[in-house]
Amino acid sequence: MALTKTQADGINLADTFAFTGTVSGAGDVTTSTAITKGSASINVLNGLNKAWWHLDSNNGVIDDSYNVSSFTDSTGYSQVTLTNTMANNKWTCVLTSDEFESVMSIFGGFETTTECYYRCRHFNSSNSEPDDVSGILTGDLA
Protein backbone atom coordinates (compact mmCIF):
# COMPACT_ATOMS: atom_id res chain seq x y z
CA MET A 1 0.00 0.00 0.00
CA ALA A 2 1.51 3.31 -1.02
CA LEU A 3 0.68 6.84 0.11
CA THR A 4 0.47 9.35 -2.69
CA LYS A 5 1.53 12.37 -0.55
CA THR A 6 3.93 12.70 2.36
CA GLN A 7 6.04 15.38 3.98
CA ALA A 8 9.63 15.12 5.06
CA ASP A 9 8.67 15.15 8.76
CA GLY A 10 5.57 12.94 8.52
CA ILE A 11 2.12 12.69 7.02
CA ASN A 12 0.11 15.83 6.33
CA LEU A 13 -3.40 14.81 7.41
CA ALA A 14 -4.93 17.73 5.52
CA ASP A 15 -3.94 16.12 2.20
CA THR A 16 -5.85 13.50 0.24
CA PHE A 17 -4.41 9.97 0.12
CA ALA A 18 -4.98 7.14 -2.33
CA PHE A 19 -4.77 3.58 -0.98
CA THR A 20 -4.63 0.30 -2.85
CA GLY A 21 -5.17 -3.12 -1.34
CA THR A 22 -6.44 -3.66 2.20
CA VAL A 23 -5.84 -1.18 5.00
CA SER A 24 -5.01 -3.14 8.16
CA GLY A 25 -2.93 -3.11 11.29
CA ALA A 26 -4.86 -0.46 13.21
CA GLY A 27 -6.07 -3.03 15.74
CA ASP A 28 -9.30 -2.85 17.71
CA VAL A 29 -10.40 0.11 19.75
CA THR A 30 -10.94 -1.21 23.26
CA THR A 31 -11.68 0.36 26.61
CA SER A 32 -7.94 0.52 27.25
CA THR A 33 -7.26 2.52 24.08
CA ALA A 34 -6.22 6.05 25.03
CA ILE A 35 -5.32 9.25 23.23
CA THR A 36 -2.44 11.09 24.86
CA LYS A 37 -1.28 14.66 24.29
CA GLY A 38 1.55 15.70 26.58
CA SER A 39 0.58 14.71 30.12
CA ALA A 40 -3.19 14.62 29.34
CA SER A 41 -4.82 11.34 28.37
CA ILE A 42 -8.39 10.30 27.59
CA ASN A 43 -9.84 6.80 27.42
CA VAL A 44 -11.34 6.61 23.93
CA LEU A 45 -14.52 4.60 24.61
CA ASN A 46 -15.27 5.99 28.06
CA GLY A 47 -14.86 9.53 26.76
CA LEU A 48 -17.49 9.20 24.02
CA ASN A 49 -21.19 10.03 24.07
CA LYS A 50 -23.22 6.85 24.49
CA ALA A 51 -26.45 8.34 23.14
CA TRP A 52 -27.65 11.58 21.57
CA TRP A 53 -30.92 12.73 20.09
CA HIS A 54 -32.75 15.55 18.37
CA LEU A 55 -36.53 15.29 18.75
CA ASP A 56 -39.48 17.11 17.24
CA SER A 57 -41.69 16.80 20.31
CA ASN A 58 -44.78 18.43 18.82
CA ASN A 59 -44.91 15.98 15.91
CA GLY A 60 -43.65 12.93 17.83
CA VAL A 61 -40.65 12.43 15.55
CA ILE A 62 -37.03 11.50 16.27
CA ASP A 63 -35.27 13.78 13.77
CA ASP A 64 -31.90 12.11 14.31
CA SER A 65 -30.32 10.03 17.05
CA TYR A 66 -27.70 7.54 18.14
CA ASN A 67 -28.56 4.64 20.49
CA VAL A 68 -32.18 5.83 20.88
CA SER A 69 -35.01 3.46 19.97
CA SER A 70 -38.04 5.60 20.87
CA PHE A 71 -39.41 8.45 22.91
CA THR A 72 -42.68 9.10 24.70
CA ASP A 73 -43.93 12.64 25.08
CA SER A 74 -46.59 14.37 27.14
CA THR A 75 -46.79 18.08 27.83
CA GLY A 76 -43.57 18.95 29.63
CA TYR A 77 -42.73 15.36 30.56
CA SER A 78 -40.85 13.04 28.21
CA GLN A 79 -38.94 9.77 28.14
CA VAL A 80 -36.20 8.61 25.76
CA THR A 81 -35.63 4.84 25.51
CA LEU A 82 -32.09 3.66 24.75
CA THR A 83 -31.31 0.92 22.25
CA ASN A 84 -28.31 -0.38 24.22
CA THR A 85 -28.41 -0.71 28.01
CA MET A 86 -26.19 1.41 30.23
CA ALA A 87 -24.05 -0.42 32.81
CA ASN A 88 -25.78 1.40 35.69
CA ASN A 89 -27.96 4.42 36.37
CA LYS A 90 -24.98 6.70 37.16
CA TRP A 91 -24.90 8.39 33.77
CA THR A 92 -24.96 12.09 32.93
CA CYS A 93 -27.28 13.82 30.48
CA VAL A 94 -27.26 17.34 29.05
CA LEU A 95 -30.50 18.64 27.50
CA THR A 96 -31.45 21.71 25.49
CA SER A 97 -34.58 22.97 23.76
CA ASP A 98 -35.82 25.80 21.56
CA GLU A 99 -38.29 26.93 24.23
CA PHE A 100 -37.77 30.56 25.28
CA GLU A 101 -37.27 31.18 29.03
CA SER A 102 -37.42 27.53 29.98
CA VAL A 103 -35.22 24.98 31.67
CA MET A 104 -34.70 21.29 30.88
CA SER A 105 -34.12 18.86 33.75
CA ILE A 106 -33.73 15.14 34.43
CA PHE A 107 -36.25 13.55 36.80
CA GLY A 108 -34.23 12.79 39.91
CA GLY A 109 -34.74 9.22 41.13
CA PHE A 110 -36.08 8.04 37.76
CA GLU A 111 -32.72 7.25 36.14
CA THR A 112 -32.65 3.70 34.78
CA THR A 113 -30.24 1.73 32.60
CA THR A 114 -32.57 1.96 29.57
CA GLU A 115 -34.49 5.25 29.86
CA CYS A 116 -33.92 8.95 30.39
CA TYR A 117 -36.88 10.85 31.88
CA TYR A 118 -36.86 14.64 31.60
CA ARG A 119 -39.12 17.66 31.61
CA CYS A 120 -39.21 21.19 30.28
CA ARG A 121 -40.58 24.02 32.44
CA HIS A 122 -41.00 27.74 31.92
CA PHE A 123 -39.49 30.05 34.48
CA ASN A 124 -43.05 30.83 35.59
CA SER A 125 -43.26 27.17 36.77
CA SER A 126 -45.64 25.91 34.08
CA ASN A 127 -44.82 22.88 31.92
CA SER A 128 -43.81 23.69 28.37
CA GLU A 129 -43.82 21.78 25.12
CA PRO A 130 -40.73 22.65 23.07
CA ASP A 131 -40.66 21.85 19.36
CA ASP A 132 -37.01 20.78 19.33
CA VAL A 133 -35.28 18.87 22.13
CA SER A 134 -31.66 17.73 21.99
CA GLY A 135 -29.84 15.52 24.47
CA ILE A 136 -26.42 13.97 25.00
CA LEU A 137 -25.95 11.06 27.40
CA THR A 138 -22.57 9.87 28.69
CA GLY A 139 -21.66 6.99 30.98
CA ASP A 140 -20.70 3.32 30.71
CA LEU A 141 -22.53 0.93 28.40
CA ALA A 142 -23.33 -2.53 29.77
Side-chain angles (χ1 to χ4, degrees):
M1 165 181 22
L3 297 175
T4 58
K5 296 181 180 181
T6 61
Q7 290 181 325
D9 61 343
I11 297 174
N12 183 348
L13 298 178
D15 283 341
T16 302
F17 301 97
F19 296 94
T20 58
T22 302
V23 177
S24 62
D28 292 332
V29 176
T30 65
T31 55
S32 62
T33 303
I35 297 173
T36 303
K37 175 75 174 173
S39 62
S41 181
I42 184 170
N43 181 297
V44 175
L45 292 182
N46 287 341
L48 299 176
N49 297 324
K50 301 310 188 299
W52 58 264
W53 57 89
H54 184 271
L55 309 174
D56 178 348
S57 295
N58 284 337
N59 294 311
V61 176
I62 301 174
D63 291 328
D64 203 358
S65 68
Y66 174 73
N67 194 24
V68 172
S69 60
S70 65
F71 84 99
T72 305
D73 181 55
S74 60
T75 303
Y77 296 89
S78 300
Q79 164 194 338
V80 170
T81 303
L82 303 175
T83 304
N84 297 300
T85 304
M86 300 298 287
N88 54 50
N89 66 348
K90 306 300 182 209
W91 41 262
T92 301
C93 184
V94 177
L95 297 160
T96 186
S97 78
D98 66 343
E99 196 72 20
F100 182 70
E101 293 186 343
S102 65
V103 64
M104 302 291 293
S105 63
I106 300 293
F107 282 0
F110 285 90
E111 301 91 354
T112 73
T113 58
T114 58
E115 296 161 331
C116 174
Y117 295 87
Y118 63 90
R119 70 178 177 180
C120 184
R121 294 184 60 83
H122 281 293
F123 287 119
N124 66 8
S125 297
S126 65
N127 289 339
S128 64
E129 186 64 26
D131 290 331
D132 295 314
V133 175
S134 298
I136 299 171
L137 190 138
T138 61
D140 295 328
L141 288 173

CSV table of all heavy atoms in Angstrom, one decimal, residues 61-114:
chain,number,residue,atom,x,y,z
A,61,VAL,N,-41.6,13.0,16.5
A,61,VAL,CA,-40.6,12.4,15.5
A,61,VAL,C,-39.2,12.5,16.1
A,61,VAL,O,-38.9,13.6,16.7
A,61,VAL,CB,-40.7,13.2,14.2
A,61,VAL,CG1,-39.6,12.7,13.3
A,61,VAL,CG2,-42.1,13.1,13.6
A,62,ILE,N,-38.5,11.5,16.0
A,62,ILE,CA,-37.0,11.5,16.3
A,62,ILE,C,-36.4,12.0,15.0
A,62,ILE,O,-36.3,11.2,14.0
A,62,ILE,CB,-36.5,10.1,16.7
A,62,ILE,CG1,-37.2,9.6,17.9
A,62,ILE,CG2,-35.0,10.2,16.9
A,62,ILE,CD1,-36.8,8.2,18.3
A,63,ASP,N,-35.9,13.2,15.0
A,63,ASP,CA,-35.3,13.8,13.8
A,63,ASP,C,-34.0,13.1,13.4
A,63,ASP,O,-33.7,12.7,12.3
A,63,ASP,CB,-35.0,15.3,13.9
A,63,ASP,CG,-36.2,16.1,14.0
A,63,ASP,OD1,-37.2,15.7,13.3
A,63,ASP,OD2,-36.2,17.1,14.7
A,64,ASP,N,-33.2,12.8,14.5
A,64,ASP,CA,-31.9,12.1,14.3
A,64,ASP,C,-31.5,11.6,15.7
A,64,ASP,O,-31.8,12.3,16.7
A,64,ASP,CB,-30.9,13.0,13.7
A,64,ASP,CG,-29.7,12.3,13.0
A,64,ASP,OD1,-29.8,11.0,13.0
A,64,ASP,OD2,-28.8,12.9,12.4
A,65,SER,N,-30.7,10.5,15.7
A,65,SER,CA,-30.3,10.0,17.0
A,65,SER,C,-29.2,9.0,16.9
A,65,SER,O,-29.0,8.5,15.8
A,65,SER,CB,-31.5,9.4,17.8
A,65,SER,OG,-31.9,8.2,17.1
A,66,TYR,N,-28.6,8.7,18.0
A,66,TYR,CA,-27.7,7.5,18.1
A,66,TYR,C,-28.0,6.8,19.4
A,66,TYR,O,-28.1,7.4,20.5
A,66,TYR,CB,-26.2,8.0,18.2
A,66,TYR,CG,-25.3,6.9,18.4
A,66,TYR,CD1,-25.0,6.0,17.4
A,66,TYR,CD2,-24.7,6.8,19.7
A,66,TYR,CE1,-24.1,4.9,17.7
A,66,TYR,CE2,-23.8,5.7,19.9
A,66,TYR,CZ,-23.5,4.8,18.9
A,66,TYR,OH,-22.7,3.8,19.2
A,67,ASN,N,-28.3,5.5,19.4
A,67,ASN,CA,-28.6,4.6,20.5
A,67,ASN,C,-29.9,5.0,21.2
A,67,ASN,O,-30.1,4.9,22.4
A,67,ASN,CB,-27.4,4.7,21.5
A,67,ASN,CG,-27.6,3.5,22.5
A,67,ASN,OD1,-28.2,2.5,22.3
A,67,ASN,ND2,-27.0,3.7,23.7
A,68,VAL,N,-30.8,5.5,20.4
A,68,VAL,CA,-32.2,5.8,20.9
A,68,VAL,C,-33.2,5.1,20.0
A,68,VAL,O,-33.2,5.2,18.8
A,68,VAL,CB,-32.5,7.3,20.8
A,68,VAL,CG1,-33.9,7.6,21.1
A,68,VAL,CG2,-31.6,8.1,21.7
A,69,SER,N,-34.0,4.3,20.7
A,69,SER,CA,-35.0,3.5,20.0
A,69,SER,C,-36.4,4.1,19.9
A,69,SER,O,-37.1,3.9,18.9
A,69,SER,CB,-35.2,2.1,20.6
A,69,SER,OG,-35.6,2.2,21.9
A,70,SER,N,-36.7,4.9,20.9
A,70,SER,CA,-38.0,5.6,20.9
A,70,SER,C,-38.1,6.7,21.9
A,70,SER,O,-37.2,6.8,22.8
A,70,SER,CB,-39.2,4.6,21.1
A,70,SER,OG,-39.0,4.1,22.5
A,71,PHE,N,-39.2,7.5,21.8
A,71,PHE,CA,-39.4,8.5,22.9
A,71,PHE,C,-40.9,8.6,23.1
A,71,PHE,O,-41.7,8.4,22.2
A,71,PHE,CB,-38.7,9.8,22.7
A,71,PHE,CG,-39.5,10.8,21.8
A,71,PHE,CD1,-40.2,11.8,22.4
A,71,PHE,CD2,-39.4,10.7,20.4
A,71,PHE,CE1,-40.9,12.7,21.6
A,71,PHE,CE2,-40.1,11.6,19.6
A,71,PHE,CZ,-40.8,12.6,20.2
A,72,THR,N,-41.3,8.9,24.3
A,72,THR,CA,-42.7,9.1,24.7
A,72,THR,C,-42.8,10.5,25.2
A,72,THR,O,-42.0,11.0,26.0
A,72,THR,CB,-43.1,8.1,25.8
A,72,THR,OG1,-42.8,6.8,25.4
A,72,THR,CG2,-44.6,8.3,26.2
A,73,ASP,N,-43.8,11.2,24.7
A,73,ASP,CA,-43.9,12.6,25.1
A,73,ASP,C,-45.3,13.0,25.6
A,73,ASP,O,-46.3,12.5,25.1
A,73,ASP,CB,-43.6,13.5,23.8
A,73,ASP,CG,-43.7,15.0,24.1
A,73,ASP,OD1,-43.0,15.4,25.0
A,73,ASP,OD2,-44.5,15.6,23.4
A,74,SER,N,-45.4,13.7,26.7
A,74,SER,CA,-46.6,14.4,27.1
A,74,SER,C,-46.2,15.8,27.5
A,74,SER,O,-45.0,16.1,27.6
A,74,SER,CB,-47.2,13.6,28.3
A,74,SER,OG,-46.3,13.6,29.4
A,75,THR,N,-47.1,16.7,27.7
A,75,THR,CA,-46.8,18.1,27.8
A,75,THR,C,-45.8,18.3,29.0
A,75,THR,O,-46.2,18.1,30.1
A,75,THR,CB,-48.1,18.9,28.1
A,75,THR,OG1,-48.9,18.7,27.0
A,75,THR,CG2,-47.7,20.4,28.2
A,76,GLY,N,-44.6,18.6,28.6
A,76,GLY,CA,-43.6,19.0,29.6
A,76,GLY,C,-42.8,17.8,30.2
A,76,GLY,O,-41.8,17.9,30.8
A,77,TYR,N,-43.4,16.6,30.0
A,77,TYR,CA,-42.7,15.4,30.6
A,77,TYR,C,-42.4,14.4,29.4
A,77,TYR,O,-43.3,14.1,28.6
A,77,TYR,CB,-43.7,14.7,31.6
A,77,TYR,CG,-43.9,15.5,32.8
A,77,TYR,CD1,-45.0,16.4,32.8
A,77,TYR,CD2,-43.1,15.4,33.9
A,77,TYR,CE1,-45.3,17.2,33.9
A,77,TYR,CE2,-43.4,16.2,35.0
A,77,TYR,CZ,-44.5,17.1,35.0
A,77,TYR,OH,-44.7,17.8,36.1
A,78,SER,N,-41.2,13.9,29.3
A,78,SER,CA,-40.8,13.0,28.2
A,78,SER,C,-39.9,11.9,28.7
A,78,SER,O,-39.3,12.0,29.7
A,78,SER,CB,-40.2,13.9,27.1
A,78,SER,OG,-41.0,14.8,26.6
A,79,GLN,N,-39.8,10.9,27.8
A,79,GLN,CA,-38.9,9.8,28.1
A,79,GLN,C,-38.3,9.3,26.8
A,79,GLN,O,-38.9,9.1,25.8
A,79,GLN,CB,-39.8,8.6,28.7
A,79,GLN,CG,-39.1,7.3,28.7
A,79,GLN,CD,-40.2,6.2,29.0
A,79,GLN,OE1,-41.2,6.4,29.5
A,79,GLN,NE2,-39.8,5.0,28.6
A,80,VAL,N,-37.0,9.2,26.9
A,80,VAL,CA,-36.2,8.6,25.8
A,80,VAL,C,-35.8,7.2,26.2
A,80,VAL,O,-35.3,7.0,27.2
A,80,VAL,CB,-34.9,9.5,25.5
A,80,VAL,CG1,-34.0,8.8,24.5
A,80,VAL,CG2,-35.4,10.8,24.9
A,81,THR,N,-36.0,6.2,25.3
A,81,THR,CA,-35.6,4.8,25.5
A,81,THR,C,-34.4,4.5,24.7
A,81,THR,O,-34.3,4.8,23.5
A,81,THR,CB,-36.8,3.9,25.1
A,81,THR,OG1,-37.9,4.2,25.9
A,81,THR,CG2,-36.4,2.4,25.4
A,82,LEU,N,-33.4,4.0,25.4
A,82,LEU,CA,-32.1,3.7,24.7
A,82,LEU,C,-32.1,2.3,24.1
A,82,LEU,O,-32.8,1.4,24.5
A,82,LEU,CB,-31.0,3.7,25.8
A,82,LEU,CG,-30.8,5.0,26.6
A,82,LEU,CD1,-29.8,4.8,27.7
A,82,LEU,CD2,-30.5,6.1,25.7
A,83,THR,N,-31.4,2.2,23.0
A,83,THR,CA,-31.3,0.9,22.2
A,83,THR,C,-30.4,-0.1,23.0
A,83,THR,O,-30.8,-1.2,23.2
A,83,THR,CB,-30.7,1.2,20.8
A,83,THR,OG1,-31.6,2.1,20.2
A,83,THR,CG2,-30.7,-0.1,20.0
A,84,ASN,N,-29.3,0.4,23.5
A,84,ASN,CA,-28.3,-0.4,24.2
A,84,ASN,C,-28.3,0.0,25.7
A,84,ASN,O,-28.3,1.2,26.0
A,84,ASN,CB,-26.9,-0.2,23.7
A,84,ASN,CG,-26.8,-0.7,22.2
A,84,ASN,OD1,-27.1,-1.9,22.0
A,84,ASN,ND2,-26.5,0.2,21.3
A,85,THR,N,-28.3,-0.9,26.6
A,85,THR,CA,-28.4,-0.7,28.0
A,85,THR,C,-27.1,-0.1,28.6
A,85,THR,O,-26.0,-0.5,28.2
A,85,THR,CB,-28.7,-2.1,28.7
A,85,THR,OG1,-29.8,-2.6,28.1
A,85,THR,CG2,-28.9,-1.9,30.2
A,86,MET,N,-27.3,0.8,29.5
A,86,MET,CA,-26.2,1.4,30.2
A,86,MET,C,-25.8,0.4,31.3
A,86,MET,O,-26.6,-0.4,31.8
A,86,MET,CB,-26.6,2.8,30.8
A,86,MET,CG,-27.0,3.8,29.8
A,86,MET,SD,-25.7,4.2,28.6
A,86,MET,CE,-24.6,5.2,29.7
A,87,ALA,N,-24.5,0.5,31.8
A,87,ALA,CA,-24.0,-0.4,32.8
A,87,ALA,C,-24.7,-0.2,34.1
A,87,ALA,O,-24.9,-1.1,34.9
A,87,ALA,CB,-22.5,-0.3,33.0
A,88,ASN,N,-25.1,1.1,34.4
A,88,ASN,CA,-25.8,1.4,35.7
A,88,ASN,C,-26.6,2.7,35.5
A,88,ASN,O,-26.6,3.2,34.3
A,88,ASN,CB,-24.8,1.6,36.8
A,88,ASN,CG,-23.7,2.6,36.5
A,88,ASN,OD1,-24.0,3.7,36.0
A,88,ASN,ND2,-22.4,2.1,36.6
A,89,ASN,N,-27.2,3.2,36.5
A,89,ASN,CA,-28.0,4.4,36.4
A,89,ASN,C,-27.2,5.7,36.8
A,89,ASN,O,-27.7,6.7,37.1
A,89,ASN,CB,-29.3,4.3,37.1
A,89,ASN,CG,-29.1,4.2,38.6
A,89,ASN,OD1,-28.0,4.0,39.1
A,89,ASN,ND2,-30.2,4.4,39.4
A,90,LYS,N,-25.9,5.6,36.8
A,90,LYS,CA,-25.0,6.7,37.2
A,90,LYS,C,-24.4,7.4,35.9
A,90,LYS,O,-23.3,7.8,35.9
A,90,LYS,CB,-23.8,6.2,38.0
A,90,LYS,CG,-24.2,5.4,39.2
A,90,LYS,CD,-25.1,6.2,40.2
A,90,LYS,CE,-25.5,5.3,41.4
A,90,LYS,NZ,-26.7,5.7,42.0
A,91,TRP,N,-25.3,7.7,35.0
A,91,TRP,CA,-24.9,8.4,33.8
A,91,TRP,C,-25.2,9.9,33.9
A,91,TRP,O,-25.9,10.3,34.8
A,91,TRP,CB,-25.6,7.8,32.5
A,91,TRP,CG,-27.0,7.4,32.7
A,91,TRP,CD1,-27.5,6.2,33.0
A,91,TRP,CD2,-28.2,8.3,32.7
A,91,TRP,NE1,-28.9,6.3,33.1
A,91,TRP,CE2,-29.3,7.5,32.9
A,91,TRP,CE3,-28.3,9.7,32.5
A,91,TRP,CZ2,-30.6,8.1,32.9
A,91,TRP,CZ3,-29.6,10.2,32.5
A,91,TRP,CH2,-30.7,9.4,32.7
A,92,THR,N,-24.7,10.7,32.9
A,92,THR,CA,-25.0,12.1,32.9
A,92,THR,C,-25.6,12.5,31.6
A,92,THR,O,-25.3,11.9,30.6
A,92,THR,CB,-23.6,12.8,33.0
A,92,THR,OG1,-23.0,12.5,34.3
A,92,THR,CG2,-23.8,14.3,33.0
A,93,CYS,N,-26.6,13.4,31.7
A,93,CYS,CA,-27.3,13.8,30.5
A,93,CYS,C,-27.4,15.3,30.4
A,93,CYS,O,-27.6,16.0,31.5
A,93,CYS,CB,-28.7,13.2,30.5
A,93,CYS,SG,-29.6,13.6,29.0
A,94,VAL,N,-27.1,15.9,29.3
A,94,VAL,CA,-27.3,17.3,29.0
A,94,VAL,C,-28.4,17.5,28.0
A,94,VAL,O,-28.4,16.9,27.0
A,94,VAL,CB,-26.0,18.0,28.5
A,94,VAL,CG1,-26.1,19.4,28.2
A,94,VAL,CG2,-24.8,17.7,29.5
A,95,LEU,N,-29.3,18.4,28.4
A,95,LEU,CA,-30.5,18.6,27.5
A,95,LEU,C,-30.6,20.1,27.1
A,95,LEU,O,-30.2,21.0,27.8
A,95,LEU,CB,-31.8,18.3,28.2
A,95,LEU,CG,-31.9,16.8,28.6
A,95,LEU,CD1,-32.9,16.7,29.8
A,95,LEU,CD2,-32.3,16.0,27.5
A,96,THR,N,-31.2,20.4,25.9
A,96,THR,CA,-31.5,21.7,25.5
A,96,THR,C,-32.7,21.7,24.7
A,96,THR,O,-33.1,20.7,24.1
A,96,THR,CB,-30.3,22.3,24.7
A,96,THR,OG1,-30.5,23.7,24.4
A,96,THR,CG2,-30.1,21.5,23.4
A,97,SER,N,-33.4,22.9,24.6
A,97,SER,CA,-34.6,23.0,23.8
A,97,SER,C,-34.7,24.3,23.1
A,97,SER,O,-33.9,25.2,23.5
A,97,SER,CB,-35.8,22.7,24.6
A,97,SER,OG,-36.2,23.9,25.4
A,98,ASP,N,-35.6,24.5,22.2
A,98,ASP,CA,-35.8,25.8,21.6
A,98,ASP,C,-36.8,26.7,22.3
A,98,ASP,O,-37.2,27.7,21.9
A,98,ASP,CB,-36.3,25.6,20.1
A,98,ASP,CG,-37.7,25.0,20.0
A,98,ASP,OD1,-38.1,24.4,21.1
A,98,ASP,OD2,-38.3,25.0,19.0
A,99,GLU,N,-37.3,26.2,23.5
A,99,GLU,CA,-38.3,26.9,24.2
A,99,GLU,C,-37.7,28.1,24.9
A,99,GLU,O,-36.7,28.0,25.7
A,99,GLU,CB,-38.9,26.0,25.3
A,99,GLU,CG,-40.2,26.5,25.8
A,99,GLU,CD,-41.4,26.4,24.8
A,99,GLU,OE1,-41.3,25.7,23.9
A,99,GLU,OE2,-42.3,27.1,25.1
A,100,PHE,N,-38.3,29.3,24.7
A,100,PHE,CA,-37.8,30.6,25.3
A,100,PHE,C,-38.1,30.6,26.8
A,100,PHE,O,-39.2,30.2,27.2
A,100,PHE,CB,-38.4,31.7,24.6
A,100,PHE,CG,-38.0,33.1,25.1
A,100,PHE,CD1,-36.7,33.5,24.8
A,100,PHE,CD2,-38.8,33.9,25.8
A,100,PHE,CE1,-36.3,34.8,25.3
A,100,PHE,CE2,-38.4,35.1,26.3
A,100,PHE,CZ,-37.1,35.6,26.0
A,101,GLU,N,-37.1,31.0,27.6
A,101,GLU,CA,-37.3,31.2,29.0
A,101,GLU,C,-37.8,29.9,29.7
A,101,GLU,O,-38.7,29.9,30.5
A,101,GLU,CB,-38.2,32.3,29.4
A,101,GLU,CG,-37.7,33.7,29.0
A,101,GLU,CD,-38.5,34.8,29.5
A,101,GLU,OE1,-39.7,34.6,29.8
A,101,GLU,OE2,-38.0,35.9,29.5
A,102,SER,N,-37.1,28.8,29.4
A,102,SER,CA,-37.4,27.5,30.0
A,102,SER,C,-36.2,26.8,30.4
A,102,SER,O,-35.1,27.2,30.0
A,102,SER,CB,-38.2,26.7,29.0
A,102,SER,OG,-37.4,26.3,27.9
A,103,VAL,N,-36.3,25.8,31.2
A,103,VAL,CA,-35.2,25.0,31.7
A,103,VAL,C,-35.5,23.5,31.5
A,103,VAL,O,-36.7,23.1,31.7
A,103,VAL,CB,-34.9,25.3,33.2
A,103,VAL,CG1,-36.0,24.9,34.1
A,103,VAL,CG2,-33.6,24.6,33.6
A,104,MET,N,-34.5,22.7,31.1
A,104,MET,CA,-34.7,21.3,30.9
A,104,MET,C,-34.1,20.6,32.1
A,104,MET,O,-33.0,21.0,32.6
A,104,MET,CB,-34.0,20.8,29.6
A,104,MET,CG,-34.4,21.5,28.3
A,104,MET,SD,-36.1,21.0,27.8
A,104,MET,CE,-35.8,19.3,27.4
A,105,SER,N,-34.7,19.6,32.6
A,105,SER,CA,-34.1,18.9,33.7
A,105,SER,C,-34.4,17.4,33.7
A,105,SER,O,-35.5,17.0,33.1
A,105,SER,CB,-34.6,19.5,35.1
A,105,SER,OG,-36.0,19.3,35.1
A,106,ILE,N,-33.5,16.6,34.3
A,106,ILE,CA,-33.7,15.1,34.4
A,106,ILE,C,-34.6,14.9,35.7
A,106,ILE,O,-34.4,15.6,36.7
A,106,ILE,CB,-32.4,14.4,34.6
A,106,ILE,CG1,-31.5,14.7,33.4
A,106,ILE,CG2,-32.5,12.9,34.8
A,106,ILE,CD1,-32.0,14.1,32.1
A,107,PHE,N,-35.5,13.9,35.6
A,107,PHE,CA,-36.2,13.5,36.8
A,107,PHE,C,-35.3,12.8,37.8
A,107,PHE,O,-34.9,11.7,37.5
A,107,PHE,CB,-37.4,12.6,36.4
A,107,PHE,CG,-38.6,13.2,35.8
A,107,PHE,CD1,-38.6,14.6,35.6
A,107,PHE,CD2,-39.7,12.5,35.5
A,107,PHE,CE1,-39.8,15.2,35.0
A,107,PHE,CE2,-40.8,13.0,34.9
A,107,PHE,CZ,-40.8,14.4,34.7
A,108,GLY,N,-35.0,13.4,38.9
A,108,GLY,CA,-34.2,12.8,39.9
A,108,GLY,C,-34.9,11.6,40.5
A,108,GLY,O,-36.1,11.6,40.7
A,109,GLY,N,-34.2,10.5,40.6
A,109,GLY,CA,-34.7,9.2,41.1
A,109,GLY,C,-35.4,8.3,40.1
A,109,GLY,O,-35.8,7.2,40.4
A,110,PHE,N,-35.5,8.8,38.8
A,110,PHE,CA,-36.1,8.0,37.8
A,110,PHE,C,-35.0,7.5,36.8
A,110,PHE,O,-35.4,6.9,35.8
A,110,PHE,CB,-37.1,8.9,37.0
A,110,PHE,CG,-38.4,9.1,37.7
A,110,PHE,CD1,-38.5,10.2,38.6
A,110,PHE,CD2,-39.4,8.2,37.6
A,110,PHE,CE1,-39.7,10.4,39.3
A,110,PHE,CE2,-40.6,8.4,38.3
A,110,PHE,CZ,-40.8,9.5,39.1
A,111,GLU,N,-33.8,7.7,37.0
A,111,GLU,CA,-32.7,7.3,36.1
A,111,GLU,C,-32.7,5.7,36.1
A,111,GLU,O,-32.7,5.1,37.2
A,111,GLU,CB,-31.3,7.7,36.6
A,111,GLU,CG,-31.2,9.2,36.7
A,111,GLU,CD,-31.5,9.8,38.0
A,111,GLU,OE1,-31.9,9.1,38.9
A,111,GLU,OE2,-31.3,11.0,38.2
A,112,THR,N,-32.7,5.2,34.9
A,112,THR,CA,-32.7,3.7,34.8
A,112,THR,C,-31.5,3.4,33.8
A,112,THR,O,-30.8,4.3,33.3
A,112,THR,CB,-34.0,3.1,34.2
A,112,THR,OG1,-34.1,3.4,32.8
A,112,THR,CG2,-35.2,3.6,35.0
A,113,THR,N,-31.3,2.1,33.5
A,113,THR,CA,-30.2,1.7,32.6
A,113,THR,C,-30.7,1.8,31.1
A,113,THR,O,-29.9,1.6,30.2
A,113,THR,CB,-29.7,0.3,32.9
A,113,THR,OG1,-30.8,-0.6,32.9
A,113,THR,CG2,-29.1,0.3,34.3
A,114,THR,N,-32.0,2.0,30.9
A,114,THR,CA,-32.6,2.0,29.6
A,114,THR,C,-33.4,3.2,29.2
A,114,THR,O,-33.8,3.3,28.0
A,114,THR,CB,-33.5,0.7,29.4
A,114,THR,OG1,-34.5,0.8,30.3
A,114,THR,CG2,-32.7,-0.6,29.5
